């Protein structure tokens, strides 16, 4: 409370002047307490600086996202099917080989001799068989004799076939078409039967395998579109599609297996790369979209501040839809072209006066 002490003086004019001055000071203090006053006597509201975005029309999609390691659908470990010393290497790591291409050769001398020895024995048994057959036709030998010779002859033919097969196995060939991912032998090495010598990996197709929680079982199905981003190739987004979904949920993990095929015509993707897979299971076209920063969510409800033509804001409740990459679908509450506050909204209330700073984040799209 302001207290004024008046000076008792014998001059009435001075006393009146002091009284008027005191009233003027009191009125000025009250004006400062209630806000600034414009020259025409009206109170002025201070505009709050804000940044805005324009509601646009766009397409939004719902995704299931997961991480995975890229796998090859076909890969083979080539093993030696005979024992021997490696004489020649015909394929190196990184080479593309067609099925049947020669990868390496093993010494053949011993196996060629085995073929010759078994072939000679076969000829001897063939001659004996023909002689026994002639004698049997003349009833000069028993049926047991010719059956024994016939059995020996048949067994020897099989022995020749096995010897020839071992000789062919001295040439190691690719069982599938693909890239040589590992070579495990060198010239001069002694390889043993069933010893791994090469790994071959096919890049067609490459697969992304996800183990998805069972709650997603009802929304995922074969044929859905897939987007794949890889840590090693951040500048590329690869497309694909779901090709297989396991009908069984693993009870120990509560997940089911989803397999997607990746489209990679330039063959940039390699097996073993780590990345993120997004499966698109719903798409909504031509819907209002705003930056997520424009939305305030409290106690389960959401609202935005919309700027009117008079630069005053109106709080408006909105219903949200799908959200992706910092943008959210507005199911109800906004239309294309509406301007909403994205920065500075913490200082606003319904009816606040604002001043837009910067350029709106979006422009309407029709």
């Amino acid at each position: 409370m302001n207290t004024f002490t008046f000076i008792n003086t014998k001059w009435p004019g001075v006393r009146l002047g002091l009284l008027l001055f005191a009233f003027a000071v009191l009125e000025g203090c009250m004006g400062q307490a209630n806000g600034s006053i414009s020259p025409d006597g009206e109170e002025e509201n201070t505009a709050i600086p804000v940044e805005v975005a324009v509601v646009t029309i766009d397409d939004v999609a719902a995704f299931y996202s997961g991480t995975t390691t890229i796998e090859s659908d076909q890969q083979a470990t080539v093993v030696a099917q005979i024992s021997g010393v490696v004489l020649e290497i015909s394929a190196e790591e990184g080479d593309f080989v067609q099925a049947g291409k020669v990868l390496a050769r093993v010494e053949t001398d011993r196996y060629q001799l085995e073929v010759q020895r078994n072939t000679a024995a076969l000829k001897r048994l063939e001659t004996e068989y023909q002689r026994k057959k002639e004698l049997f036709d003349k009833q000069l030998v028993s049926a047991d004799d010719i059956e024994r010779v016939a059995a020996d002859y048949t067994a020897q033919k099989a022995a020749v076939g096995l010897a020839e097969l071992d000789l062919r196995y001295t040439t190691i060939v690719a069982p599938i078409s693909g890239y040589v991912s590992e070579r495990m032998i060198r010239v001069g090495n002694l390889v043993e039967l069933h010893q791994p010598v090469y790994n071959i990996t096919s890049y067609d197709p490459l697969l992304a395998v996800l183990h998805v929680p069972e709650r997603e079982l009802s929304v995922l199905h074969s044929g859905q579109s897939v987007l794949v981003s890889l840590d090693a190739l951040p500048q590329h987004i690869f497309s694909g599609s779901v090709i297989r979904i396991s009908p069984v949920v693993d009870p120990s993990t509560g997940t089911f297996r989803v397999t997607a095929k990746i489209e990679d015509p330039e063959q940039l993707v390699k097996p073993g790369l780590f990345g993120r897979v997004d499966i698109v299971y719903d798409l909504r076209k031509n819907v209002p979209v705003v930056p997520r920063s424009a939305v305030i969510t409290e106690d389960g409800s959401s609202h935005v501040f919309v700027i009117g033509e008079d630069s005053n804001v109106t709080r408006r409740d909105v219903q949200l839809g799908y959200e992706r990459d910092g943008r959210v679908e507005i199911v109800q509450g906004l239309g294309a072209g509406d301007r909403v506050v994205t920065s500075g909204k913490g200082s606003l209330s319904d009816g606040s006066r604002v001043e837009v700073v910067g350029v709106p984040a979006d422009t309407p799209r029709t």
Side-chain angles (χ1 to χ4, degrees):
M1 179 178 181
N2 295 319
T3 303
F4 296 93
T5 302
F6 292 95
I7 300 175
N8 188 11
T9 178
K10 61 182 179 179
W11 294 289
V14 173
R15 183 183 300 175
L16 179 59
L18 290 173
L19 184 61
L20 293 174
F21 174 76
F23 277 113
V25 171
L26 180 61
E27 184 178 2
C29 291
M30 293 177 64
Q32 291 180 359
N34 294 329
S36 59
I37 304 300
S38 63
D40 58 3
E42 294 182 356
E43 184 177 349
E44 293 180 345
N45 291 327
T46 302
I48 301 173
V50 295
E51 294 180 1
V52 303
V54 178
V55 178
T56 59
I57 299 299
D58 209 340
D59 300 337
V60 295
F63 295 82
Y64 171 78
S65 298
T67 57
T68 187
T69 300
I70 304 303
E71 301 179 8
S72 171
D73 190 35
Q74 294 186 19
Q75 48 189 339
T77 298
V78 184
V79 299
Q81 294 177 282
I82 47 87
S83 299
V85 176
V86 178
L87 299 180
E88 179 186 343
I89 296 293
S90 302
E92 295 291 346
E93 293 180 0
D95 291 348
F96 179 81
V97 294
Q98 295 284 354
K101 176 180 171 53
V102 175
L103 303 176
R105 298 183 188 275
V106 178
E107 59 177 337
T108 61
D109 294 348
R110 178 160 55 93
Y111 298 100
Q112 288 175 339
L113 292 174
E114 281 293 320
V115 171
Q116 294 174 5
R117 183 175 68 84
N118 283 281
T119 301
L122 178 63
K123 289 181 178 180
R124 178 179 59 81
L125 287 172
E126 183 180 9
T127 300
E128 183 178 356
Y129 173 72
Q130 293 296 335
R131 185 173 62 84
K132 289 286 186 179
K133 186 177 179 182
E134 292 176 357
L135 294 175
F136 178 75
D137 292 340
K138 297 177 181 179
Q139 297 183 350
L140 298 176
V141 295
S142 66
D144 290 342
D145 286 342
I146 192 168
E147 288 178 0
R148 177 180 56 79
V149 175
D152 291 343
Y153 176 60
T154 301
Q156 190 58 39
K157 284 199 296 185
V160 172
L162 289 174
E164 291 174 343
L165 187 61
D166 285 343
L167 181 60
R168 287 201 300 272
Y169 285 159
T170 60
T171 300
I172 301 174
V173 299
I176 64 172
S177 298
Y179 289 89
V180 177
S181 53
E182 187 177 6
R183 173 174 62 84
M184 294 168 275
I185 56 172
R186 298 180 180 179
V187 173
N189 287 168
L190 174 64
V191 295
E192 301 291 344
L193 179 65
H194 298 158
Q195 175 184 332
V197 292
Y198 278 92
N199 281 329
I200 298 178
T201 303
S202 173
Y203 287 11
D204 186 21
L206 290 176
L207 306 179
V209 180
L210 298 173
H211 296 274
V212 181
E214 59 184 4
R215 64 177 177 271
E216 307 292 345
L217 186 60
S218 61
V219 298
L220 300 183
H221 56 80
S222 296
Q224 288 175 328
S225 298
V226 169
L227 299 176
V228 180
S229 58
L230 302 172
D231 291 352
L233 301 167
Q235 70 277 21
H236 293 86
I237 300 294
F238 300 92
S239 61
S241 60
V242 176
I243 59 173
R244 291 192 294 269
I245 293 183
S246 173
V248 178
V249 176
D250 185 345
S252 62
T253 61
T255 62
F256 61 99
R257 185 181 174 95
V258 176
T259 304
K261 177 182 176 181
I262 302 173
E263 301 295 338
D264 180 28
E266 298 180 9
Q267 295 188 339
L268 300 175
V269 183
K270 310 298 181 186
L273 292 181
F274 179 82
R276 175 172 294 276
V277 179
D278 295 325
I279 303 176
V280 183
Y281 62 83
D282 192 16
L283 177 65
R284 296 176 181 171
K285 296 185 176 182
N286 300 322
V287 294
V289 176
V290 297
R292 187 62 178 84
S293 58
V295 181
I296 301 173
T297 301
E298 297 174 338
D299 299 328
S301 61
S302 300
H303 66 271
V304 298
F305 286 103
V306 181
I307 303 177
E309 295 296 333
D310 57 358
S311 296
N312 292 338
V313 297
T314 302
R315 171 177 166 151
R316 189 177 300 177
D317 292 334
V318 293
Q319 182 179 346
L320 306 182
Y322 294 145
E323 182 176 346
R324 176 80 173 176
D325 297 331
R327 295 171 63 80
V328 61
E329 172 196 7
I330 302 299
V331 176
Q332 185 176 354
L334 292 175
D338 287 342
R339 295 188 303 163
V340 293
V341 177
T342 58
S343 180
K345 55 187 179 295
S347 303
L348 301 180
S349 59
D350 199 19
S352 296
R353 184 177 180 81
V354 297
E355 178 184 357
V356 177
V357 296
V359 179
D362 295 288
T363 56
R365 193 187 81 177
T366 59

